[in-house]
Amino acid sequence: MMAADPMVRIRNLRKSYGATPVLRGIDLDVAAGEVTCVIGPSGSGKSTLLRCINHLEKIDSGYVEVNGELIGYRRRGDKLYELKDKVIARQRAGIGMVFQNFNLFAHMTVLENIIEAPMAVRGKPRDEAVEMARELVRRVGLAGREDAYPRQLSGGQQQRIAIARALAMEPEVMLFDEPTSALDPELVGEVLEVMKDLARRGMTMIVVTHEMSFAREAADKMVFMDGGLIVESGPPEEILRAPRQERTKAFLSRVL
């Protein structure tokens, strides 16, 4: 029986800012339903990798595929040509992203924040969008706060609504860029619980994180990046307990 194609396939991904290389040839496969946690020091390219997956950053070479579809480009012969903005927006709608800072619209209620994109991008009727939004608010543990404005919510609550908003687009993949790093320590757990629930439900997730306990508990695979390269990858217990590379050992000795 042949193995299924990965949900996310990245090959020889390279990205520089001016003369500074940030990604220096990344190869990564993420299977459907798999949770991959990406760890590494600041400046190692973790966030840039996520932003290249949904084409928030243009790549210099290599490619990214999500569910077999080339993201951001079409291939003609050996060359890649960037797609039109409208097509990229459609692709991006299937790749949910949750940032460090919640990026909620301050002038909109919780419900309005969640229904905006499904209606505008997916063309979902308002009553369907509202019904789905209410269910998502319940799933992230905030039922009854649909009419609240972001300023009336704690940081952890805002981040949970940001997750609900991303889920409202019914994405195939969810990307998380250090989703708890801007939170007070006592609020971190409530966001991680929502993410663990997503993992249990089989969502394909790529999570840049410093939360090693979350990675140990929820991840299927851990990737350690440094200097724009994947230095080591494998099951979390294996990486955390017995890393093979000296650079990984040095990093973990400072964070565990």
Side-chain angles (χ1 to χ4, degrees), residues 182-195:
L183 300 178
D184 292 334
E186 66 268 22
L187 301 178
V188 168
E190 64 191 45
V191 174
L192 294 181
E193 279 304 316
V194 171
M195 294 169 64

Side-chain angles (χ1 to χ4, degrees), residues 11 13-15 51-66 68-76 78-85 87-92 95:
R11 289 294 180 271
L13 185 62
R14 295 176 182 272
K15 171 69 180 178
R51 293 173 68 85
C52 287
I53 292 172
N54 68 357
H55 204 66
L56 285 175
E57 294 284 357
K58 297 181 182 182
I59 64 177
D60 296 331
S61 62
Y63 66 87
V64 176
E65 289 180 352
V66 173
E69 184 176 14
L70 193 63
I71 300 299
Y73 300 90
R74 59 185 170 83
R75 188 180 282 111
R76 183 181 292 169
D78 293 332
K79 291 191 174 181
L80 295 179
Y81 298 88
E82 193 170 22
L83 296 169
K84 288 183 166 55
D85 289 346
V87 181
I88 293 171
R90 177 190 62 75
Q91 291 183 329
R92 201 176 282 144
I95 307 170

Side-chain angles (χ1 to χ4, degrees), residues 27-42:
D27 292 328
L28 180 65
D29 287 346
V30 179
E34 184 176 81
V35 178
T36 295
C37 281
V38 183
I39 64 171
S42 296

Side-chain angles (χ1 to χ4, degrees), residues 9-153:
R9 186 201 305 270
I10 300 171
R11 289 294 180 271
N12 196 30
L13 185 62
R14 295 176 182 272
K15 171 69 180 178
S16 296
Y17 295 116
T20 305
V22 181
L23 300 176
R24 299 192 292 141
I26 298 292
D27 292 328
L28 180 65
D29 287 346
V30 179
E34 184 176 81
V35 178
T36 295
C37 281
V38 183
I39 64 171
S42 296
S44 58
K46 307 183 300 295
S47 294
T48 300
L49 173 61
L50 288 191
R51 293 173 68 85
C52 287
I53 292 172
N54 68 357
H55 204 66
L56 285 175
E57 294 284 357
K58 297 181 182 182
I59 64 177
D60 296 331
S61 62
Y63 66 87
V64 176
E65 289 180 352
V66 173
N67 203 11
E69 184 176 14
L70 193 63
I71 300 299
Y73 300 90
R74 59 185 170 83
R75 188 180 282 111
R76 183 181 292 169
D78 293 332
K79 291 191 174 181
L80 295 179
Y81 298 88
E82 193 170 22
L83 296 169
K84 288 183 166 55
D85 289 346
K86 186 176 180 181
V87 181
I88 293 171
R90 177 190 62 75
Q91 291 183 329
R92 201 176 282 144
I95 307 170
M97 187 155 183
V98 178
F99 299 88
Q100 295 178 31
N101 297 309
F102 328 118
N103 295 344
L104 298 176
F105 297 116
H107 65 289
M108 291 184 178
T109 65
V110 162
L111 197 70
E112 289 166 345
N113 263 283
I114 296 172
I115 68 174
E116 171 81 5
M119 290 170 56
V121 179
R122 297 277 197 211
K124 192 176 282 284
R126 182 182 175 85
D127 57 344
E128 286 183 29
V130 167
E131 183 180 352
M132 180 174 64
R134 291 189 184 281
E135 168 59 19
L136 288 170
V137 172
R138 185 196 64 76
R139 262 180 64 183
V140 300
L142 289 169
R145 303 308 304 274
E146 292 87 352
D147 295 329
Y149 287 88
R151 66 180 179 276
Q152 298 171 309
L153 304 176

Side-chain angles (χ1 to χ4, degrees), residues 158-194:
Q158 289 186 60
Q159 191 62 296
R160 284 188 276 160
I161 294 303
I163 294 172
R165 183 176 63 177
L167 290 172
M169 295 299 286
E170 301 173 284
E172 297 176 301
V173 179
M174 284 283 285
L175 310 177
F176 293 86
D177 188 6
E178 298 190 26
T180 60
S181 65
L183 300 178
D184 292 334
E186 66 268 22
L187 301 178
V188 168
E190 64 191 45
V191 174
L192 294 181
E193 279 304 316
V194 171

